[in-house]
Amino acid sequence: RHRRRGGYGMPGVAYRKLALKRAKGGFMAEIKRGTRPIVIEETAGKKAYCQCGWSEKLPYCDGSHSRQQTDCGPIVTTVDAPGKKAVCQCHSSGSLPWCDGTHKNLPVP
């Protein structure tokens, strides 16, 4: 079983079901959504940001979406300038993968 990540380096994580679908004879795992962004000092280059919430290397994708059968994949983007970035974890931002504050208006699960 998977544990809540609050207290394990990612505060404010809530488990919210995005969709529960049938896949290959079983149910797909739920999508984990955070309640606030992960703020990081990012370097320039190509990045893959996790959208399933199961990655052990959040906010980066580690392929967990395939192992958990979540039916979603990472957001791949190129970071042009290094610096502080707020990576969205509610997955509702209008400027994914970056946080635009939408999480402040979402209902608490």
Side-chain angles (χ1 to χ4, degrees):
R1 294 210 76 136
H2 296 276
R3 292 187 259 188
R4 284 186 73 133
R5 295 186 64 79
Y8 290 93
M10 186 177 158
V13 170
Y15 287 74
R16 241 191 280 176
K17 291 183 182 176
L18 180 63
L20 197 58
K21 301 177 182 178
R22 277 203 171 271
K24 299 178 185 173
F27 284 102
M28 296 195 139
E30 65 186 43
I31 305 298
K32 292 197 283 185
R33 294 176 169 226
T35 55
R36 56 186 170 197
I38 297 175
V39 179
I40 55 173
E41 265 313 308
E42 190 58 277
T43 57
K46 188 174 180 179
K47 310 293 178 181
Y49 294 105
C50 175
Q51 291 299 290
C52 74
W54 288 100
S55 175
E56 293 294 322
K57 298 179 180 183
L58 285 173
Y60 306 105
C61 176
D62 68 358
S64 293
H65 60 276
S66 296
R67 293 186 294 279
Q68 296 292 333
Q69 297 181 331
T70 61
D71 198 28
C72 73
I75 291 179
V76 179
T77 190
T78 301
V79 176
D80 296 323
K84 190 177 277 193
K85 305 284 185 193
V87 182
C88 175
Q89 294 300 296
C90 75
H91 311 294
S92 299
S93 172
S95 59
L96 286 172
W98 315 122
C99 177
D100 66 0
T102 302
H103 63 277
K104 296 175 185 172
N105 300 319
L106 296 176
V108 178

